[in-house]
Amino acid sequence: MKDYLIKATANNGKIRAYAVQSTNTIEEARRRQDTFATASAALGRTITITAMMGAMLKGDDSITTKVMGNGPLGAIVADADADGHVRGYVTNPHVDFDLNDKGKLDVARAVGTEGNISVIKDLGLKDFFTGETPIVSGEISEDFTYYYATSEQLPSAVGAGVLVNPDHTILAAGGFIVQVMPGAEEEVINELEDQIQAIPSISSLIREGKSPEEILTQLFGEECLTIHEKMPIEFRCKCSKDRLAQAIIGLGNDEIQAMIEEDQGAEATCHFCNEKYHFTEEELEDLKQ
Ligand code: ZN
């Protein structure tokens, strides 16, 4: 089944909700980056949440999220657009630990429990929104919940889960974001908190094979939920030889000359998709300004 995301409202439009099934998207990220299980879970949760944050945007807007903890993973970076294209990478993909005492992949140990998450929304015409909040648990979902509450003042519940097969491929991945609309009464917020408390964890819902529709129905009940849109999502990278050429130009003429003399060319690898681009001596010569 192809990955997809749904946009919905609940409780008479006072709550907006997103849910996504991202198994293939996360498997593609895993395959390209060769992430081990714990790294796959951390990267997969971040990509899953970022895909939903992208779906909140319009037109050509895009979003970049970065989770920078003090754990061995290094940085986790993901970006997404409003059309369901998402990608991401992690600095150290071969991080893997034993399961934690709850029997789950130990994402917090890999991410670290200190650091920050930052969000940059590119809203076109040089209009940027940036927000940054501290990591609260390193489990990713809670960190984004905290981000929404403090940086955007939007009481939210964020959940994302990734299940990994023994051979390291992705068994299932998905998540949800539910948000109380601005101006909603305290009562709506409390009600939502109760609803969230009452449902099983996102990883168990995913393990049971629940669809995005079923996840939100479980949260709000069929009568309270209105689904407005269903859109496909996929891992897609925006890189091209031209974009990497721009990065090489940015290194400056001396650096380019060194590549020509010492390496007789250059190979540049895209962080996001691991695609390699080769530049010959002549091509490098042309990049000098
Ligand atoms: Zn790429």
Side-chain angles (χ1 to χ4, degrees):
M1 190 169 51
K2 285 218 162 112
D3 288 346
Y4 67 95
L5 176 152
I6 55 168
K7 302 180 186 180
T9 51
N11 299 23
N12 300 318
K14 288 175 181 162
I15 289 173
R16 64 174 184 177
Y18 301 81
V20 64
Q21 186 225 283
S22 55
T23 310
N24 302 312
T25 305
I26 306 311
E27 171 58 17
E28 182 67 7
R30 182 209 64 82
R31 192 182 66 75
R32 288 181 173 273
Q33 320 248 335
D34 190 31
T35 47
F36 291 0
T38 316
S40 297
L43 176 63
R45 288 181 194 177
T46 306
I47 291 177
T48 298
I49 293 166
T50 306
M52 292 185 280
M53 294 171 90
M56 298 174 192
L57 303 172
K58 293 187 178 69
D60 295 330
D61 297 354
S62 62
I63 187 165
T64 303
T65 60
K66 184 174 179 185
V67 178
M68 189 67 244
N70 60 345
L73 275 182
I76 309 170
V77 179
D79 68 25
D81 63 20
D83 298 317
H85 306 132
V86 62
R87 58 180 188 164
Y89 70 88
V90 57
T91 315
N92 298 307
H94 291 175
V95 172
D96 202 10
F97 291 119
D98 291 337
L99 300 181
N100 64 19
D101 52 16
K102 292 185 187 120
K104 292 188 172 170
L105 290 164
D106 203 347
V107 171
R109 187 172 167 199
V111 170
T113 51
E114 280 173 42
N116 53 58
I117 69 169
S118 55
V119 173
I120 301 169
K121 295 181 197 172
D122 180 351
L123 305 169
L125 300 169
K126 296 200 170 84
D127 188 12
F128 284 92
F129 166 91
T130 60
E132 189 175 292
T133 51
I135 283 174
V136 289
S137 75
E139 290 286 346
I140 313 282
S141 300
E142 287 161 49
D143 303 310
F144 278 94
T145 299
Y146 184 77
Y147 161 80
Y148 270 118
T150 41
S151 183
E152 301 201 19
Q153 279 90 45
L154 270 179
S156 309
V158 181
V162 176
L163 302 175
V164 180
N165 288 313
D167 68 355
H168 280 187
T169 56
I170 305 301
L171 171 66
F176 65 80
I177 297 180
V178 296
Q179 302 187 311
V180 176
M181 299 298 275
E185 308 82 30
E186 195 69 26
E187 200 184 303
V188 179
I189 301 174
N190 295 337
E191 212 173 304
L192 178 64
E193 279 170 0
D194 292 344
Q195 282 161 319
I196 300 281
Q197 291 296 330
I199 67 157
S201 76
I202 182 69
S203 20
S204 49
L205 293 172
I206 293 166
R207 191 182 296 277
E208 289 163 22
K210 294 264 190 280
S211 68
E213 290 87 345
E214 286 167 332
I215 290 171
L216 292 187
T217 305
Q218 184 129 15
L219 258 173
F220 300 105
E222 216 155 327
E223 315 81 66
C224 291
L225 185 73
T226 311
I227 295 169
H228 300 282
E229 197 185 329
K230 177 174 170 172
M231 65 183 248
I233 71 148
E234 64 173 356
F235 185 100
R236 189 187 288 185
C237 196
K238 298 183 277 211
C239 70
S240 63
K241 191 163 181 179
D242 206 38
R243 281 183 185 236
L244 284 163
Q246 294 305 319
I248 292 175
I249 290 169
L251 297 174
N253 285 354
D254 291 348
E255 192 71 27
I256 296 174
Q257 187 57 37
M259 289 174 182
I260 294 169
E261 286 172 14
E262 291 161 25
D263 306 319
Q264 292 80 48
E267 193 168 75
T269 306
C270 172
H271 285 309
F272 284 98
C273 68
N274 255 339
E275 197 72 43
K276 288 181 175 53
Y277 295 91
H278 184 76
F279 292 85
T280 63
E281 286 179 60
E282 294 72 38
E283 285 170 326
L284 287 174
E285 203 63 59
D286 288 341
L287 294 181
K288 286 190 192 166
Q289 300 296 295

